[in-house]
Amino acid sequence: MTPTELHDLFVEAAATEIMLPPAKQRVRMAWWPDVQPEWLSYADPDTKVRLTPTTEQVSRYEQAIDLSRSLEEHERRLVWAVAFSAARRDRGPNWTKLGKIFGLDKRTVASRYRSVLELLWRTK
């Protein structure tokens, strides 16, 4: 896998983890949203539908976890932070926010991320 494919794999894995149900389920009275009496009432902003990942997405998620186990802890934190940042945005990772989290310049964070992906690419 190239570094670009590794980046895509980790971003997809982060999006898959977001779709997974929480480890501890909240107590619910019903699993389905209440049926509204009028058809115009279905555009309720409080109604949330949770997407479930496919088996292929879960398999790639496990592959990403296995790949990240070969990294050191600080490298693993960097890779997953960038992946979760990119999974929630159409424009890719928020390098400025990541730079603030790690206490580094955004270009340094991006450079270290690329070097970690290249390290993974060379070792796998």
Side-chain angles (χ1 to χ4, degrees), residues 32-124:
W32 296 97
D34 293 332
V35 177
Q36 302 294 331
E38 188 177 327
W39 68 274
L40 288 174
S41 301
Y42 281 106
D44 186 16
D46 296 332
T47 303
K48 296 179 182 175
V49 178
R50 186 165 187 94
L51 300 175
T52 56
T54 63
T55 55
E56 292 85 11
Q57 289 173 323
V58 173
S59 297
R60 288 189 294 270
Y61 172 68
E62 291 173 354
Q63 180 186 8
I65 289 175
D66 290 340
L67 280 173
S68 66
R69 285 188 181 142
S70 65
L71 299 172
E72 294 181 22
E73 184 179 350
H74 67 279
E75 295 170 336
R76 199 175 319 129
R77 286 178 188 260
L78 174 65
V79 167
W80 284 107
V82 171
F84 274 99
S85 176
R88 296 184 180 132
R89 291 171 40 116
D90 291 333
R91 295 173 45 192
N94 187 349
W95 296 112
T96 305
K97 186 175 181 180
L98 291 167
K100 289 178 183 177
I101 290 171
F102 289 106
L104 300 168
D105 185 54
K106 63 183 180 180
R107 293 171 295 225
T108 306
V109 173
S111 173
R112 288 185 182 178
Y113 177 67
R114 282 191 300 271
S115 67
V116 168
L117 288 183
E118 289 173 6
L119 174 72
L120 267 176
W121 173 61
R122 278 188 258 127
T123 58
K124 295 296 173 187

